[in-house]
Amino acid sequence: MSEEILRLESLSKSFGGIRAVNDVSLSLKKGEIVGLIGPNGAGKTTLVNVITGVHPADAGTVHFMGENVTRQRPYQAARRGLCRTFQIVQPFPENSVLDNVAAGAVFGGAVPSLKQARERAMDLLEFVGLQDVASQPASALTLPNRKRLELAKSLAMKPKVLMLDEVNAGLSSGEIDGALDLIRRIAEQGVTILIIEHLMKVVLGVSERIVVLDRGAVIAEGPPMEVVKDERVIEAYLGSKYAQRLKEKTHG
Amino acid sequence: MITRTGLILFAIWVVILATTPLHADNYIVRTAIMISMYSVLALSWNFIGGFTGYPSFATVAFFGLGAYVGAIAQRNGVPMVVAWMLATIVVGAFAAALGSILLRLKGHYFAIGSIAVVEVCRLVISSWRSVTGGGDGLNIPLLRWSPDDVAIFFLMVMLVLMIIVFALNAFVSRHRLGFGLHCIRQNEDAADMVGINTTLYKVIAFTLSALFVGTAGAAYASWVGYIDPTDSFSILMTVKVPVMVLLGGAGTVLGPVIGAASFVVLEEIFWSNFLDWNRAILGMVIVFLIFFLPGGLLRVSFRKVRDRLKGREGVAT
Amino acid sequence: MDIGQILVNGLVLGALYACLAVGFSLVWGVLNVINMLHGSFIVLGGYLTFFAWHSFGIHPLVSLPFVALLLFGIGYLVQYLFVNKVVTAPVLTTLTLTFGLDMILYNIMTVFFSATPRRVTLDLGTLSFFGITMPVDRLFGMALALALTGLLYYVMRKSRIGRAIVAVRMDRAAATLMGIRVNHIYAITFGVGALMAGAAGAIFAMVFPITTNLTGMYIGKAFVVCVIGGLGSVPGALVGGLALGLIESISGHFFGPQHSLTVGFLVMLFILLVKPTGLVGKRGYE
């Protein structure tokens, strides 16, 4: 298919003896939507943190567009177009919604002037449907709107790869459909998307490929429908006993 | 961000200060010099404490260092103005180096670290007798002009410095640097994530908070003709500067100017009327400020003050 | 001077520093407030002890508990009336507030007590052992300082109030849900901080001359002890105090006593940068 944009090789990160990310290798192709799932504590957010340089990797490499970026700092990742949203949203609470997005544009997106950044920010707010609250302080937003703001902010950085860390957590099913629709529209613009979720069903519909993480390691990878049938995946999510029972039921 | 009205008010204020020698006595001119000097300090502190939200108490270290660099240079035959420039450069370099180490700390630890820097500077200057004269201090060659001319000269010097730092404040507050610092103040991790080189930005802010304080220190030394470690690195002065900014309104451009002026005037009044109790009265001003003017004079709401005095509003946060 | 004497000097000094800093450390750790009043509390304790002895002939050991209790009351009120109202504000606000309050207290003290150095002279002689000499009043001060610090440790671990303070420190919100009156606990913590400062002042008055000009130096020592040892814990203050005592004694011997303070501050800056939790510091543990 098309060219590779992000490649992780044997990436590892430990915290005080616990291997939060354990020998993870992964490759993303330009323009695809990949789901990264795994139970709570599987190391999904840590993996994103290692990729973007929040935590330095203990071992392994990250290549972005052919360049070794393993040692980058978070702001460098953002400027390169390797962007992410936060599971726990991180707005600038006193800034207006517009200025939150403008910050992404002017620093991450290399827009030369603040004025242009605000214009671009306004377009993006329209894209995510926040144009009516543009002048409100970010701290006044509701949770679904904060998630959208987070999305608009990352888009302002002109991402090439966008890692969405649980953008759907805490949303109702109707709101999730809206968010997924938005994600598809972003992907249509040629942005590679890694969608990180704790709930499997959210990503199944939208992802072309799914990677399953458990206890820091990749335990399965492939098309959505194959992955959900994988025994190890069921075991990781439901526990070995339940997996055993399920197996007996379906086969016996 | 500064409005047109703010700019006009500042210009009027500069004119008022600059014309004091024409109609007022030496005491008033001296006060005008002090106001301009403290405005330089407060406006400089605004870069790190106001825009960036880092509680720095290092201002007086830059002031004292500038005074000593200027004094030592002048004593070794360097012309006065060159000595001031030298002080500016040395203090700026010192702040940049110090900032890249110290700004890794946050909150209380940063505050303590910056206080420790003041103490270390004071102690090093006190004990490095051969260069700094130790506790005896240093004499600086005085200008051989009439006292009135000297006062006018130093008033103009401090005013020029004040205008420079004010213009820098106004510029930074509109520029992406100020925008970035404002983001850092609100959420440093998020600032990093939107592509702000937070380390660089903080070091720039810290250096800006030092640069002209160094010049002011050197000019002050030339003006008064004598400096010693206790006065040049006084812990009282290091707290005064943030208090002035808080008094006027932190993070605004006009606030530090208003704060410095009101504080110096208050201090003069207390000094001349309540000699034994001036420190306690300043303390009371600080306590009053924290409880009743948390946003500074610029954001004052008299109705709220009245309500609080009557105890209608509970916790001030 | 031989190495034994240097070490003993350091340890004696260190025990006094631990007692000086432990209250400051507690307030910082639990309330997240840098209490700039701490130095003045120490001097106030010292002055009260001195005047009780000088004017009324009351032995410092007798007056110490009363001085400490009085300071507890002052500390409780300061926290209850002032600091509690801004306790969640950024460090700049709380530090500036306590600094303002300190200016008031300092001024009151200079007016009423003047800045003359005062010292309780007990004339207990000196003690010699293994070629090491030490004034007995200093040894006495050290023993008292260690005993008080130990007592505080015991109270923090065993009493209901002590456990409540630790609980508030670990998780304010959860402590509220458990029915702990956080503001009351904060005021008590601040009171205990002042109490320990007063007691340290009483001990200091027996060993060194006390004057209002020393408030800044005491605060400085408290900073250094807290950062070296680790915040908000009795063992942290003890380790930090002993470490600072030894650092000052050793560096004083090699570089001259006038540099020992500088070395202390430099060690503190170093620890701040490489291990901000201090030598024995661990967040959320008493």
Side-chain angles (χ1 to χ4, degrees), chain C residues 205-281:
Chain C
M206 293 183 240
V207 183
F208 304 114
I210 285 256
T211 141
T212 43
N213 296 338
L214 291 176
T215 55
M217 192 192 81
Y218 288 146
I219 275 278
K221 303 268 187 214
F223 285 165
V224 179
V225 170
C226 279
V227 172
I228 292 181
L231 271 191
S233 76
V234 178
L238 192 62
V239 170
L242 293 175
L244 178 63
L246 287 172
I247 290 165
E248 290 199 350
S249 164
I250 294 168
S251 63
H253 175 67
F254 287 107
F255 311 118
Q258 72 274 26
H259 297 297
S260 59
L261 223 93
T262 320
V263 175
F265 272 112
L266 288 175
V267 170
M268 168 179 128
L269 278 175
F270 179 73
I271 299 248
L272 259 184
L273 294 168
V274 297
K275 196 169 185 302
T277 50
L279 293 178
V280 291

Side-chain angles (χ1 to χ4, degrees), chain B residues 45 55 57 101-102 104-105 107-109 112-113 115-116 119-120 123-124 127 236 239 242-243 246 276-280 282-284 286-287 290-291 315-317, chain C residues 28 32-34 81-82 85-86 88 91-93 95-97 99-101 103-104 106-108 111-112 223 227 231 258-259 261-262 265-266 268-269 272-273 276:
Chain B
W45 184 87
F57 292 92
I101 306 168
L102 207 59
R104 285 156 54 189
L105 303 170
H108 294 70
Y109 289 105
I112 294 286
I115 294 175
E119 289 298 301
V120 170
L123 292 165
V124 168
S127 44
L236 200 60
V239 179
V243 166
L246 292 180
D276 284 346
W277 290 100
N278 71 81
R279 199 164 164 144
L282 280 185
M284 285 180 218
I286 291 177
V287 174
I290 296 221
F291 285 118
V315 181
T317 44
Chain C
W28 186 355
N32 214 14
V33 167
I34 295 177
L81 295 176
F82 298 103
K85 311 242 185 281
V86 293
T88 51
V91 51
L92 190 65
T93 309
L95 195 152
T96 313
L97 173 64
F99 189 84
L101 291 168
M103 288 170 83
I104 300 172
Y106 180 94
N107 203 155
I108 294 173
V111 168
F112 284 104
F223 285 165
V227 172
L231 271 191
Q258 72 274 26
H259 297 297
L261 223 93
T262 320
F265 272 112
L266 288 175
M268 168 179 128
L269 278 175
L272 259 184
L273 294 168

Side-chain angles (χ1 to χ4, degrees), chain C residues 8-21:
Chain C
V8 170
N9 284 351
L11 290 174
V12 170
L13 204 57
L16 296 174
Y17 286 163
C19 186
L20 167 156

Side-chain angles (χ1 to χ4, degrees), chain B residues 267-288:
Chain B
E267 204 178 17
E268 288 300 327
I269 294 171
F270 299 150
W271 264 109
S272 47
N273 295 314
F274 314 97
L275 190 58
D276 284 346
W277 290 100
N278 71 81
R279 199 164 164 144
I281 293 170
L282 280 185
M284 285 180 218
V285 170
I286 291 177
V287 174
F288 180 86

Side-chain angles (χ1 to χ4, degrees), chain B residues 120-273:
Chain B
V120 170
C121 285
R122 185 174 58 82
L123 292 165
V124 168
I125 297 276
S126 314
S127 44
W128 198 0
R129 190 163 280 278
S130 57
V131 179
T132 63
D136 299 337
L138 284 179
N139 286 306
I140 299 111
L142 283 171
L143 286 174
R144 286 191 207 127
W145 303 342
S146 77
D148 285 352
D149 289 348
V150 169
I152 292 171
F153 175 71
F154 281 104
L155 176 62
M156 293 308 150
V157 169
M158 292 297 181
L159 275 175
V160 167
L161 285 177
M162 176 172 107
I163 294 166
I164 292 174
V165 188
F166 180 86
L168 252 158
N169 262 271
F171 174 73
V172 167
S173 73
R174 289 167 185 243
H175 188 256
R176 57 189 283 157
L177 174 62
F179 191 61
L181 294 177
H182 196 57
C183 289
I184 291 175
R185 184 168 69 79
Q186 295 173 64
N187 189 336
E188 192 165 337
D189 288 333
D192 204 353
M193 288 296 165
V194 296
I196 299 173
N197 185 347
T198 50
T199 313
L200 179 69
Y201 269 49
K202 288 189 295 181
V203 171
I204 292 176
F206 196 60
T207 310
L208 285 175
S209 85
L211 216 52
F212 294 99
V213 173
T215 330
Y220 174 81
S222 306
W223 176 38
V224 296
Y226 168 78
I227 50 171
D228 72 19
T230 325
D231 270 1
S232 307
F233 296 95
S234 120
I235 188 85
L236 200 60
M237 187 164 170
T238 223
V239 179
K240 257 190 221 171
V241 174
V243 166
M244 286 171 185
V245 180
L246 292 180
L247 182 62
T252 61
V253 178
L254 217 48
V257 183
I258 296 174
S262 356
F263 194 95
V264 172
V265 169
L266 280 176
E267 204 178 17
E268 288 300 327
I269 294 171
F270 299 150
W271 264 109
S272 47
N273 295 314

Side-chain angles (χ1 to χ4, degrees), chain C:
Chain C
M1 204 168 25
D2 76 328
I3 191 77
Q5 181 78 49
I6 295 170
L7 291 181
V8 170
N9 284 351
L11 290 174
V12 170
L13 204 57
L16 296 174
Y17 286 163
C19 186
L20 167 156
V22 72
F24 179 80
S25 170
L26 193 69
V27 170
W28 186 355
V30 177
L31 277 69
N32 214 14
V33 167
I34 295 177
N35 177 20
M36 297 298 284
L37 278 155
H38 196 76
S40 294
F41 281 159
I42 293 172
V43 171
L44 183 60
Y47 271 145
L48 292 173
T49 311
F50 171 81
F51 282 105
W53 172 77
H54 185 256
S55 310
F56 306 107
I58 300 169
H59 193 277
L61 265 188
V62 179
S63 55
L64 190 145
F66 295 100
V67 168
L69 275 178
L70 181 67
L71 271 135
F72 175 85
I74 296 174
Y76 188 97
L77 284 179
V78 165
Q79 173 70 24
Y80 198 80
L81 295 176
F82 298 103
V83 188
N84 258 343
K85 311 242 185 281
V86 293
V87 77
T88 51
V91 51
L92 190 65
T93 309
T94 51
L95 195 152
T96 313
L97 173 64
T98 56
F99 189 84
L101 291 168
D102 182 63
M103 288 170 83
I104 300 172
L105 179 58
Y106 180 94
N107 203 155
I108 294 173
M109 289 198 301
T110 47
V111 168
F112 284 104
F113 301 132
S114 85
T116 325
R118 315 275 191 178
R119 186 187 167 182
V120 177
T121 29
L122 294 175
D123 283 329
L124 299 174
T126 56
L127 198 70
S128 291
F129 47 98
F130 307 117
I132 298 165
T133 52
M134 184 53 64
V136 174
D137 51 13
R138 269 191 204 201
L139 285 174
F140 183 59
M142 172 180 99
L144 213 51
L146 287 177
L148 283 170
T149 313
L151 184 67
L152 179 65
Y153 182 65
Y154 183 80
V155 168
M156 289 293 289
R157 286 187 75 90
K158 298 293 178 193
S159 71
R160 272 180 72 90
I161 291 284
R163 301 316 298 173
I165 290 175
V166 174
V168 170
R169 177 191 168 160
M170 285 183 179
D171 191 334
R172 183 188 158 141
T176 316
L177 293 175
M178 309 286 282
I180 295 173
R181 283 149 61 210
V182 172
N183 278 350
H184 177 62
I185 291 297
Y186 275 174
I188 287 184
T189 311
F190 205 88
V192 171
L195 178 147
M196 288 307 289
I203 295 171
F204 271 56
M206 293 183 240
V207 183
F208 304 114
I210 285 256
T211 141
T212 43
N213 296 338
L214 291 176
T215 55
M217 192 192 81
Y218 288 146
I219 275 278
K221 303 268 187 214
F223 285 165
V224 179
V225 170
C226 279
V227 172
I228 292 181
L231 271 191
S233 76
V234 178
L238 192 62
V239 170
L242 293 175
L244 178 63
L246 287 172
I247 290 165
E248 290 199 350
S249 164
I250 294 168
S251 63
H253 175 67
F254 287 107
F255 311 118
Q258 72 274 26
H259 297 297
S260 59
L261 223 93
T262 320
V263 175
F265 272 112
L266 288 175
V267 170
M268 168 179 128
L269 278 175
F270 179 73
I271 299 248
L272 259 184
L273 294 168
V274 297
K275 196 169 185 302
T277 50
L279 293 178
V280 291
K282 216 198 259 177
R283 181 108 189 107
Y285 183 72
E286 86 277 23

Side-chain angles (χ1 to χ4, degrees), chain B residues 82-106:
Chain B
V82 181
W84 296 351
M85 288 178 193
L86 191 69
T88 313
I89 294 164
V90 170
V91 169
F94 174 73
L98 185 69
S100 57
I101 306 168
L102 207 59
L103 288 159
R104 285 156 54 189
L105 303 170
K106 291 196 171 75

